Amino acid sequence: MTMTQPRSRHRLRPDLLAFAVACCLSVSAFAGDGVSALSPSTDISEAADELYLQVTVNEQLRPSVYRFVLRDGHLFASPATLLELGLQVQATESNERLLPVERDGIRVFYDSAAQTVALSAPVSALSADTTRLNAPPISPPVSDAPWGGLLNYDLDAFRGNGVSNIVVAPALRLFGPGNFTFETNGVLQTTDVGGKWNSRAIRLDTRLRWTSADKALEVILGDLVTNSPEWARQTRMAGIRFGTNYPSLQPYRVLSPGPIFSGESAVPTSVELYVNGIKQFEGESPPGRFVVSGLPSMEGLGNARLVLTDAYGRAREVDIPFYGTRRLLARGLNDWSVSVGRVRLGYGADSNRYDAPVALDASWRRGISERFTGEVHAEVRRDLQLGGAGGAFLIGKAGVVHAAWSDSRSRGLKGSQTRWGYQWSNGVLSAAFDSQRTHGDYRDLAAVSSGFLPAQRSESANVGLNSALLGSFNLTYANLQYPKQARNRIAGAYWSRAIGRGWFAHAGIQRDLDNSAQNSFQFGISATLGDDYQSSASMRHTNATDMYEANVMKQARANGDIGWRIQARQDTPSGYSGLAEATWLTRAAELTAGVAHGTDGSGNQYRMAARGSVLWMGRSLFASREVVSGFALVDTGIAGVPVSLENRPYGVTNASGQLIVTPVFPFQNNRISIDPTALPANIRVPRKDLDAVPGASGAAKVTFDLQPVHAAVVVLVDTSGTVVPMGSSVRRIGTDSVQEDTIVGYDGEVYLEGLAKTNTLEVTIQSAKCIAEFTYDEKATGIPRIEPVQCVVETK
């Protein structure tokens, strides 16, 4: 279909058009401000024509041309075209063949000479969805991990006063491509006293873990710890636990409520978000409604400032004070856990001792509103029924109040527990109080299983001041009392401050209100001496003893580093003691050796330790420093490639082109990069940075697809030795070359890739053709220069 040139009686002058647009178009920045319309369009030709125009909607240029019909001086378009342009179409109009463009406040500026049309539409006429800005990611995609295993070990050998002690703490983890992980750990201890060796082994935890990061769901089968609210005690059990685990599975998610900004704009708008003066987000909002959320989790009063800048450079700021607290959940968010099993007894002393009755522990927290989070909790077994409820409430800018009550029935005994507290902070001043008391014969799972009763009274209070000039001050009070035991009340005052560059001082006074012999005073100072060196000195005085201590140390950070620590200490009346130890970081382990001497009768004491991991992944076996959270197997296929973790040099790949990198953190982006400048010139590097995102197993494999390129610079000459003219066409023949035809450059040079052992070129010099043949060493490193290669003219 041909495009007809329109016939227009009147034409808008470009300068008047620009003036009208600049003066009349406005932005609704916050809380739905309206948009004033452009001036009425110029009178358009009475003729009816079919047009294909380039379109701008609210200063946004659309990517293609669109079909319009000019009829009786007005532009018409199909409903589909209007929707594609982001304009609203009513359901009753969707079947219409043509609709007027100038409607619902839309203004039309048509330039017949340029074949363009500029549309100015208020927000109410736009069909764009609400744009969500700064929405926090739930969980990044998890990196692939083949079948594998991880064995962590912590070996510690000690000798002193005629006693030798060797402790090994192994921890085994098995994993695969799925979401299942098997974990077990324990302690092996061997002691020599007077030539007689005694050994024992204790199993700590054994469990099978399954996770679903998208739903933040976790299931544990085996040894577990119940997930209870703050006002209920956690219990070790053997059984099954299922529920949410947001901190581990969705670490980027902000769980606490925060202010949400909403607004609308008729033109593209730049949006900047500042919290307490620090920029948290910068992005662009297309025309339409937008929502800004995802403020970082924080405690205390804060101020959020939103800066909106429209397409004309006009800025508007909105300031909103808010109060942040991690005690609350975002509205509609659920955090829950259910555990069923038998209570563990003698953890750390016995391997397999559990209480006989089956118990249930269940908790549920929900963000009822932006100001209130409710909690319920239950513990049940045949000789115990416990239930409770609580919650936290935000009192505007005045802080957070939390309270809970629970009631128990056990073996004819009845009791209850109450807890309440308050906290407030504005960044400079802070205050907090917490009180938990039991009444009657209150019992929970830990009490009926092990006899360890909950505290009868537990109270704490804190008032703090944080000053950039004076430092941080804190006044504290604590009162703790268990049934049939004496109360323990302690009051203290503490101060700390950074002094100059790299220096830090702290002091404190602590008073035991029930035993004055335990009153104490302490003071300390530390300094950072360069990047790796630190020193510290401290003293502590009580009514019975005085202690003075000084330390100098060097930290070991990377493979091959040696760190050390020297300590001198005086205790009165015990005497003097000293310590010297060194740590060597290798790729395979962290090795420590030390010696201590004391005048208090302890004599010389010697210590050696080794800490590390043995990893199996795929078909490879590695020794590495201890993997605490997670690790990544970096595979480049080339030896000696420098690898960095979060832009910090970590190590180089081994002879197989692989390297274990740790620590990396599960369900988080861990940036791993290689240095292309350290690679031969004939290696193609598609990407130098990749993200490792381990799953629940903590294992990830990152593969850099480094591709050797068989390339060379070939110098072509004719039979007389003269270089082939620049611009001559070159084509490889006789092979399946992946390189397209190329041309000769200066001095007869031509760059070729994908070379084989023998190669044939067809060179076109003006109207003549010649053939050049040469060989290539496939084991060559870098990009060799092959010269001269004679090009012989074809003979017929």
Side-chain angles (χ1 to χ4, degrees), residues 246 250 253-256 329-335 364-368 373:
Y246 290 105
Q250 296 182 2
R253 183 164 187 168
V254 179
L255 304 179
S256 56
L329 290 177
R331 182 177 182 178
L333 188 63
N334 293 291
D335 185 14
W364 179 46
R365 298 176 65 221
R366 178 176 173 81
I368 307 299
T373 294

Side-chain angles (χ1 to χ4, degrees), residues 613-637:
S613 300
V614 177
L615 303 108
W616 161 64
M617 180 180 279
R619 300 179 180 178
S620 303
L621 189 67
F622 305 91
S624 169
R625 298 207 301 269
E626 184 182 23
V627 174
V628 178
S629 53
F631 70 93
L633 170 59
V634 179
D635 190 352
T636 65

Side-chain angles (χ1 to χ4, degrees), residues 272-356:
E272 295 176 297
L273 176 63
Y274 296 82
V275 177
N276 293 338
I278 300 175
K279 182 184 289 188
Q280 301 291 337
F281 171 77
E282 180 178 5
E284 296 290 331
S285 172
R289 297 172 179 82
F290 63 86
V291 172
V292 184
S293 59
L295 265 68
S297 181
M298 60 174 291
E299 291 286 344
L301 280 173
N303 184 77
R305 180 163 58 96
L306 197 67
V307 180
L308 307 172
T309 306
D310 65 20
Y312 301 103
R314 295 174 295 188
R316 181 180 178 185
E317 297 184 6
V318 180
D319 288 293
I320 292 186
F322 68 95
Y323 194 96
T325 176
R326 298 182 182 91
R327 282 190 173 272
L328 299 182
L329 290 177
R331 182 177 182 178
L333 188 63
N334 293 291
D335 185 14
W336 59 276
S337 175
V338 177
S339 302
V340 180
R342 297 166 59 189
V343 176
R344 180 80 179 264
L345 301 177
Y347 182 80
D350 298 297
S351 297
N352 299 289
R353 190 156 67 94
Y354 301 92
D355 208 1

Side-chain angles (χ1 to χ4, degrees), residues 674-676 679 683-689 704-707:
I674 60 175
D675 184 4
L679 298 174
I683 299 297
R684 177 179 289 119
V685 183
R687 292 189 62 180
K688 69 180 186 67
D689 299 302
F704 288 90
D705 188 18
L706 304 185
Q707 303 167 357

Side-chain angles (χ1 to χ4, degrees), residues 148-152 171-175 613-616 627 631 697:
L150 164 67
L151 175 63
N152 281 336
L172 176 66
R173 186 190 309 170
L174 301 176
F175 52 85
S613 300
V614 177
L615 303 108
W616 161 64
V627 174
F631 70 93
S697 66

Side-chain angles (χ1 to χ4, degrees), residues 9 46 85 89 118 120 126 235 263 279 326 329 331 336 371 393 423 438 456 472 482 494 681 717 766 787:
R9 292 181 180 176
E46 298 294 334
L85 291 172
V89 173
S120 169
L126 299 177
T235 308
K279 182 184 289 188
R326 298 182 182 91
L329 290 177
R331 182 177 182 178
W336 59 276
R371 291 177 174 267
F393 183 75
Q423 67 181 45
T438 60
Q456 183 176 337
S472 297
Y482 284 94
Y494 306 93
V717 299
Q766 296 179 354
E787 62 177 338

